[in-house]
Amino acid sequence: MRFQLLVMLSALAAVPPAAAQLAVTPVRDLEFGSVIVGVPSSVAPSHPTRSGQFRITAPRNTKVQVRLTLPGELAGPAGAQLPIGFASSDAIAVGDWPGSTPESFNPQATRNLQFAGGTIYNLFLGGTVTPAGNQRQGNYAATITLTITNF
Amino acid sequence: MRTTTVLSAIVAAGLTVGAATVEAQTSANIQATAQVLSALTVTAGKDLEFGNVTPGVNKTIAITDAGAGRFDVNKATGSDVALSFTLPANLTSGANNLPIGTWSGGWNTAATPAGATGFDPATGPTTTGSTASGTLTVYVGATVNPGAGQAAGAYTGTITMSAVYF
């Protein structure tokens, strides 16, 4: 009996917790490229090269909550700020397994995903920048964070 | 019995620890980036002027000639611009046509055709590459081919140049 319980304890210790197998990887920045003063510019989440992209990896059947921390402005030269906004359909999540249907969602809200048929989800993000007529020229950037929690 | 109880407690503790680690977070960052450029403007600088043309004698205005056409471009420094043209096949005078045979072009960051980078305006967009200058001067020349029986008159046509950031 004592031996059996010790074996059980050893087995429990050997199994890595599910959380240890949960990972999120940055794949690609959200790139607006060149934008003209006074002219709003949008990137769709389906854009093949300019949309932002994260890859989420988790064991099959894992349920995770995704939450994006989004900026309201991009920071530019000499303290200049470039407003950025996100529409309710500016995020798409799609599993990499056959038959997975892309899910469009509001990036400003949390979203639950289930790894029903595989171990990888790709999350794509679009947005819109609105340069003012007197926007200072130069390069602008801000950080977008994806946080995932499994449950 | 006592041993079983103790070990059960240990197992329960282990499961509790395991459950705590399951609800974990992880995160990653990407950047949102943009480059803001000034508005791109094109201004008509000077007409392409052939002056007097003799019937049956072709006449060419080179981009370095005084009669060359000119457009002025204001753009963001360090930007790459694509230039494209809508060109007439003929100059017209009422119902009469004066054919234009060939076109020539050149762009320069200085306001002179000397040292301009040549291109053919008739063959699709021309990209300038990234230039440090905030201005471009674009020169246009052409050759007209009047027939031997070309009707006398003042002939005109419209040349349109468009510029976009590339």
Side-chain angles (χ1 to χ4, degrees):
Chain A
M1 178 63 180
R2 182 178 301 173
F3 175 76
Q4 289 174 329
L5 286 171
L6 287 174
V7 168
M8 187 187 305
L9 282 172
S10 300
L12 281 171
V15 175
Q21 301 170 39
L22 192 65
V24 56
T25 307
V27 177
R28 172 171 84 209
D29 290 339
L30 171 56
E31 296 181 346
F32 291 92
S34 298
V35 301
I36 311 300
V37 294
V39 182
S41 179
S42 296
V43 171
S46 58
H47 195 286
T49 59
R50 293 197 164 185
S51 62
Q53 183 183 354
F54 294 93
R55 179 172 294 121
I56 307 168
T57 306
R60 192 165 177 152
N61 294 321
T62 300
K63 292 180 181 178
V64 300
Q65 181 188 72
V66 301
R67 177 169 51 86
L68 286 154
T69 304
L70 302 169
E73 297 89 17
L74 309 188
Q81 293 187 322
L82 174 62
I84 183 171
F86 299 90
S88 60
S89 59
D90 267 344
I92 295 174
V94 58
D96 74 338
W97 54 89
S100 175
T101 303
E103 303 174 40
S104 178
F105 65 96
N106 185 350
Q108 300 182 89
T110 58
R111 179 79 172 186
N112 294 336
L113 301 175
Q114 181 168 10
F115 291 73
T119 60
I120 295 175
Y121 254 106
N122 283 294
L123 191 152
F124 300 92
L125 180 67
T128 299
V129 291
T130 310
N134 62 349
Q135 189 76 43
R136 182 184 288 270
Q137 292 182 57
N139 294 316
Y140 291 72
T143 298
I144 295 168
T145 302
L146 174 65
T147 302
I148 56 174
T149 306
N150 69 331
F151 56 93
Chain B
M1 177 63 182
R2 181 169 172 275
T3 302
T4 303
T5 304
V6 170
L7 289 175
S8 297
I10 294 172
V11 170
L15 289 174
T16 302
V17 171
T21 58
V22 166
E23 286 194 17
Q25 284 190 341
T26 186
S27 65
N29 298 327
I30 61 172
Q31 296 291 302
T33 64
Q35 182 185 23
V36 175
L37 302 177
S38 62
L40 185 61
T41 63
V42 176
T43 306
K46 182 180 173 302
D47 290 338
L48 170 57
E49 297 174 324
F50 290 93
N52 294 328
V53 174
T54 303
V57 180
N58 295 342
K59 186 170 185 178
T60 298
I61 300 295
I63 63 169
T64 52
D65 291 341
R70 192 187 81 235
F71 294 94
D72 300 316
V73 178
N74 282 308
K75 67 182 191 62
T77 57
S79 62
D80 186 351
V81 171
L83 308 173
S84 59
F85 291 81
T86 303
L87 303 169
N90 302 284
L91 304 185
T92 59
S93 177
N96 299 316
N97 290 331
L98 172 57
I100 300 178
T102 58
W103 294 90
S104 61
W107 62 264
N108 203 343
T109 54
T112 172
T117 300
F119 66 94
D120 184 353
T123 58
T126 297
T127 57
T128 62
S130 177
T131 59
S133 173
T135 61
L136 292 174
T137 307
V138 182
Y139 299 92
V140 179
T143 297
V144 288
N145 307 127
Q150 189 74 42
Y155 290 76
T156 61
T158 300
I159 301 168
T160 302
M161 187 184 87
S162 300
V164 296
Y165 285 119
F166 187 71

